[in-house]
Each structure stands twice: as C-alpha cells, then as structure tokens.
C-alpha cells in the first residue's frame, strides 16, 4: 500500500478489464501502517528486488519476485576491557518469523490485488505469511521504496508499542472516540487529504496513564513529541 491509498475514499477500487471475463476489481479499506503492522500474520522486512517471474491469472499462478533479504551488521563487545569486538549479521526482519526469504509473491495483476515492484529497488515490505511458509504482499499491504521513507523507519518500533491501541478512521465531522485507548485518524478530513501526516509521521501509543495518543516519530525520543488526538 502506497501513501496515495491512505487518503482515497472509503474503498479503493483498482479496475482491470478482461475481454473474456469482464471487469475485475480489488478493494482495499484504508488502513494506517500501524494497524497493518499489528496484524498477527504480518511479516515486516527490508528487501531488494532482484527479478520477476510474471504470473497468470487464468492459471492461478501468482507473480513471483526474487528478492535479496537484506542484512544488517551487528558489532558486539566480547571483551570490553581490551575492546575485542565480534561481528555478526542479522536479517532485517522488523516483525514476524526470523527466516531468510528469497522470494515474495503477489497477484498476477492489479485486479487480483497484485503489486508492481521495481527490480533493483530496496523496499520496506509488510507481507502476510502463508501456511506453506511463503510471503505474499498485495495492494492492500504496505510496500514502499526504502529510500522514500524517512520517519516510518523510526516508527517501526513505536508501532509495536501501540498494538494495544485502536486506530479509528475519521472521514467526516463529528467524529467521536469510544474509549481512551482509541486514536482518531483524521488524514481523510477536508483540508488534510494531501498531507498524509498521521500515516507518515505518527504512531498511536499507550502512555503510562493507560490512554492512547498520537506521537510523532523521532529516533530514540518518540514519546517526547505528543500530538493531538484529532
């Protein structure tokens, strides 16, 4: 899901015409990145697209993207007295099963909720883990180029802190909260449709008093920048 889909009307329709089968549609309900992150079957990784094998809708074959599941170098002090450091590597998996993914799958076209990824580009991907161990991503999931992200990278750990909160979409006034653990998502309101502010820059986090509120993302100091609930 790109930032554009966060501020479209209630349902995003991706239409694709087929002569034999007629028009098909993929419907996505707008969802904040934190809501997607907190789903139990979601795996969040950083990966580089290496190649693609197109799918075929009539044959039920999804599109397969070969990926390089990127790794991060970790330096650990093994002996602080003499400053001996041990180097190890870990897959950049921000949430979900800790395994190496060599491919990610999607629908064969937009009608089947398939996404289009660019070979050679690194992405932050929020995909759904299937029962066979494969990872699938759709138009309704998060798939943004890594270099296009700034605040979101720092928000990932904050999303995890906020999984006990509820984000409620607000499309028009009046928009009321049902409890203290809700945050109103107001990016859809008139005058804010092009800002994507809460989707790009904020996480809904529960504070020490048990109430949830929006906090602006900042590496290492997320909770120091509270924002209003609406």
């Amino acid at each position: 899901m790109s930032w554009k889909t966060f501020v479209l009307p209630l349902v995003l329709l991706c239409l694709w015409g087929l002569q034999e089968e007629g028009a098909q549609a993929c419907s996505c309900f707008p969802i904040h990145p934190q809501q997607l992150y907190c789903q139990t079957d979601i795996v969040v990784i950083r990966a580089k697209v290496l190649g693609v094998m197109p799918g075929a809708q009539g044959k039920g074959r999804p599109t397969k993207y070969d990926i390089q599941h990127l790794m991060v170098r970790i330096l650990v002090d093994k002996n602080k007295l003499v400053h001996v450091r041990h180097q190890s590597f870990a897959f950049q998996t921000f949430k979900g099963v800790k395994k190496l993914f060599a491919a990610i799958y999607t629908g064969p076209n937009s009608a089947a909720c398939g996404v289009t990824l660019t070979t050679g580009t690194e992405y932050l991907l929020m995909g759904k883990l299937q029962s066979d161990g494969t990872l699938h991503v759709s138009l309704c999931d998060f798939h943004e180029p890594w270099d296009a992200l700034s605040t979101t990278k720092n928000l990932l750990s904050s999303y995890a802190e906020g999984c006990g909160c509820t984000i409620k979409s607000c499309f028009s006034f009046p928009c009321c909260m049902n409890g203290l653990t809700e945050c109103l998502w107001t990016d859809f309101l008139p005058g804010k449709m092009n800002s994507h502010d809460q989707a790009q820059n904020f996480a809904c986090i529960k504070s020490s008093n048990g109430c949830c509120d929006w906090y602006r993302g900042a590496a290492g100091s997320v909770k120091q920048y509270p924002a209003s609930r609406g």
Side-chain angles (χ1 to χ4, degrees):
M1 178 178 287
S2 66
W3 295 121
K4 296 178 181 178
T5 63
F6 293 129
V7 291
L8 291 179
L10 182 64
V11 174
L12 171 67
L13 295 178
C14 303
L15 301 178
W16 185 67
L18 296 175
Q19 290 184 347
E20 294 86 0
E21 300 179 23
Q24 306 290 316
C26 170
S27 299
C28 300
F29 190 89
I31 184 170
H32 190 278
Q34 178 175 323
Q35 293 172 287
L36 185 63
Y37 179 97
C38 290
Q39 293 178 12
T40 56
D41 59 347
I42 287 292
V43 176
V44 184
I45 66 172
R46 179 184 177 186
K48 182 177 181 179
V49 177
L50 302 179
V52 59
M53 179 181 295
Q57 186 172 29
K59 298 180 180 180
R61 187 177 71 236
T63 294
K64 175 186 176 184
Y65 284 99
D66 293 319
I67 62 172
Q68 178 186 2
H69 191 165
L70 296 175
M71 306 182 75
V72 61
R73 186 176 65 171
I74 301 175
L75 295 175
V76 180
D77 285 324
K78 303 296 287 186
N79 188 330
K80 294 183 179 181
L81 293 178
V82 294
H83 301 290
V84 175
R85 307 200 80 185
H86 171 71
Q87 177 174 283
S88 63
F89 292 87
F91 299 122
Q92 286 202 277
T93 300
F94 301 98
K95 177 181 179 286
V97 60
K98 304 296 184 182
K99 62 171 287 186
L100 172 65
F101 290 98
I104 191 166
Y105 298 84
T106 190
N109 48 59
S110 60
C113 290
V115 304
T116 300
L117 304 179
T118 303
T119 300
T121 300
E122 295 181 13
Y123 287 88
L124 177 64
L125 301 169
M126 297 187 188
K128 291 182 173 63
L129 186 66
Q130 306 299 302
S131 57
D132 61 0
T134 58
L135 192 60
H136 288 240
V137 64
S138 75
L139 279 175
C140 304
D141 298 325
F142 190 93
H143 51 281
E144 282 288 313
W146 183 262
D147 289 341
L149 301 173
S150 55
T151 310
T152 305
K153 301 173 186 177
N154 299 326
L155 283 172
L156 290 173
S157 60
S158 301
Y159 288 163
E161 293 183 52
C163 286
C165 299
T166 300
I167 296 176
K168 180 180 179 181
S169 300
C170 182
F171 298 99
S172 62
F173 292 114
C175 196
C176 301
M177 295 173 56
N178 296 321
L180 296 178
T181 57
E182 285 189 349
C183 290
L184 294 181
W185 184 18
T186 60
D187 281 349
F188 304 93
L189 293 176
K192 300 181 68 175
M193 292 290 285
N194 294 319
S195 69
H196 321 308
D197 193 31
Q198 286 173 316
Q200 289 182 328
N201 302 311
F202 288 85
C204 177
I205 302 173
K206 184 176 292 186
S207 61
S208 57
N209 62 7
C211 299
C212 293
D213 211 337
W214 292 111
Y215 288 81
R216 179 176 292 276
S221 56
V222 176
K223 293 188 177 182
Q224 296 180 16
Y225 300 92
S228 64
R229 293 178 181 241

